[in-house]
């Protein structure tokens, strides 16, 4: 099942993708995609709906596939080759940080380079959405707590992240720095999250990421289990699981986003995104 949100920014409605790729309106059945709408009971109810019985709509814009997230968790340096290109040792435990939930954006919205930014970078990632309250879950049980998966671009301002002191969050949280979607694909359609191609191209090929989630240092199950030792995960929490090699920071010379650049990115089975970088206009 592929769930989505469609419509103008700030007025999105929940929807479902039908077998032919058409968008079906779920707003008569569901308030929005967040929180308790992502629990097993809610998803089971949605699975019982025949998309053909829902209105078919013209959806020129897709919003983030989640209307809000209680916490936007993220994991740093979680692909072996990305750690290598960053010149950093492979972490012994997951590197945990967060993004402001206000950075959520539609998968194809323009990406504004923030005011005073000099090093805005791209990071295609596998997003994991939690569907149940989770504390101290074992690795063996961790994937049972997943509502679904999605594509996330963990956009990052590297100067703010690495050269300005403090925590990474301020380099990760500008408006639009969390394009999410196009769909939330329920976990039953992704039997192995560690066997998915993940890719990104800049301007059709320059600065390309092309890897597989099998290169993760810590698997999705390990990440969920680890986080649940230190905090309570709740339905609707979003976890970015790290990015593969091929980011602008790792290129020689380094290459950061400029107005007019076009990013295209995706994860196998989860759809793709397209963003054009635009200058901050005040």
């Amino acid at each position: 099942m592929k769930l989505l949100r469609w419509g103008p920014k700030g007025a999105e409605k929940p929807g479902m993708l039908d077998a032919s790729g058409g968008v079906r309106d779920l707003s008569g059945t569901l308030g929005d995609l967040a929180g308790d709408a992502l629990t097993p009971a809610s998803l089971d109810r949605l699975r019982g709906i025949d998309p053909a019985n829902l209105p078919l709509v013209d959806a020129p814009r897709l919003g983030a596939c989640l209307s809000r997230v209680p916490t936007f968790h993220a994991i740093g340096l979680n692909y072996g080759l990305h750690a290598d290109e960053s010149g950093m040792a492979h972490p012994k435990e997951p590197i945990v940080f967060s993004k402001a939930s206000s950075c959520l954006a539609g998968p194809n919205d323009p990406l504004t380079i923030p005011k005073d930014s000099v090093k805005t970078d791209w990071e295609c990632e596998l997003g994991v959405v939690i569907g149940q309250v989770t504390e101290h879950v074992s690795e063996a049980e961790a994937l049972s707590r997943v509502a679904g998966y999605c594509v996330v671009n963990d956009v990052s301002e590297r100067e703010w992240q690495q050269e300005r002191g403090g925590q990474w969050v301020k380099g990760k949280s500008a408006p639009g720095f969390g394009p999410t979607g196009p769909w939330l694909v329920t976990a039953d359609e992704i039997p192995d999250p560690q066997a998915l191609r993940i890719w990104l191209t800049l301007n059709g090929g320059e600065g390309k990421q092309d890897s597989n989630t099998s290169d993760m240092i810590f698997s999705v199950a390990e990440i969920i289990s680890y986080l649940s030792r230190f905090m309570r995960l709740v339905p609707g929490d979003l976890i970015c699981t790290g990015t593969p090699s091929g980011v602008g920071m790792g290129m020689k010379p380094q290459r950061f986003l400029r107005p007019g650049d076009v990013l295209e990115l995706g994860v196998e089975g989860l759809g793709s995104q397209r963003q054009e970088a635009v200058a901050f206009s005040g």
Side-chain angles (χ1 to χ4, degrees), residues 196-239:
L196 304 174
R197 180 179 176 238
I198 181 168
W199 59 273
L200 177 147
T201 63
L202 172 65
N203 299 329
E206 179 188 354
K208 184 171 65 174
Q209 295 184 283
D210 194 350
S211 187
N212 193 285
T213 55
S214 61
D215 188 43
M216 283 186 186
I217 297 169
F218 303 102
S219 69
V220 172
E222 289 176 294
I223 291 166
I224 295 170
S225 178
Y226 183 84
L227 290 175
S228 77
R229 291 164 51 190
F230 305 102
M231 63 196 77
R232 176 182 295 138
L233 303 175
V234 299
D237 274 355
L238 175 59
I239 305 169

Side-chain angles (χ1 to χ4, degrees), residues 7-9 12 60-64 102-114 120-121 153 155 174-180 257-265 273-281:
K9 189 173 182 178
E12 296 93 342
R61 176 186 177 271
L62 296 180
S102 58
C103 77
L104 280 176
N108 304 313
D109 290 347
L111 174 58
T112 299
I113 298 172
T120 294
D121 202 354
N153 189 357
V155 186
F177 268 30
T180 301
L257 288 173
R258 301 186 287 256
D261 283 338
V262 174
L263 295 171
E264 294 178 273
L265 58 146
Q273 304 183 354
R274 183 186 187 278
Q275 295 119 32
E276 180 174 350
V278 298
F280 179 81
S281 63

Side-chain angles (χ1 to χ4, degrees), residues 43-212:
L43 294 180
D44 283 345
R45 182 170 63 90
L46 295 178
R47 285 189 190 93
I49 298 173
D50 182 351
N53 294 329
L54 297 171
L56 181 66
V57 296
D58 178 24
R61 176 186 177 271
L62 296 180
C65 60
L66 299 170
S67 63
R68 62 185 184 279
V69 296
T71 306
F72 200 148
H73 304 279
I75 306 298
L77 291 176
N78 194 35
Y79 281 72
L81 293 175
H82 176 51
D84 294 343
E85 75 175 352
S86 302
M88 302 180 74
H90 292 201
K92 293 182 171 57
E93 295 189 30
I95 296 173
V96 179
F97 63 96
S98 63
K99 294 170 72 78
S101 59
S102 58
C103 77
L104 280 176
N108 304 313
D109 290 347
L111 174 58
T112 299
I113 298 172
K115 180 181 179 182
D116 301 324
S117 167
V118 293
K119 294 183 178 180
T120 294
D121 202 354
W122 56 86
E123 296 191 35
C124 184
E125 307 204 4
L126 171 65
V128 179
V129 179
I130 297 297
Q132 300 180 55
V133 174
T134 300
E135 293 182 80
H136 298 284
V137 70
S138 68
E139 289 180 25
E141 295 294 325
L143 293 186
S144 70
R145 308 305 173 92
V146 175
Y149 301 92
C150 58
V151 182
V152 178
N153 189 357
D154 175 21
V155 186
S156 307
E157 213 299 342
R158 301 300 190 185
E159 185 198 31
W160 303 353
Q161 176 191 359
Q162 298 184 340
E163 301 173 35
R164 302 287 293 274
Q167 301 295 314
W168 286 6
V169 61
K170 67 177 179 286
K172 298 281 189 170
S173 299
F177 268 30
T180 301
W183 320 305
L184 172 66
V185 180
T186 51
D188 56 295
E189 294 196 9
I190 307 296
D192 184 0
Q194 304 309 143
L196 304 174
R197 180 179 176 238
I198 181 168
W199 59 273
L200 177 147
T201 63
L202 172 65
N203 299 329
E206 179 188 354
K208 184 171 65 174
Q209 295 184 283
D210 194 350
S211 187
N212 193 285

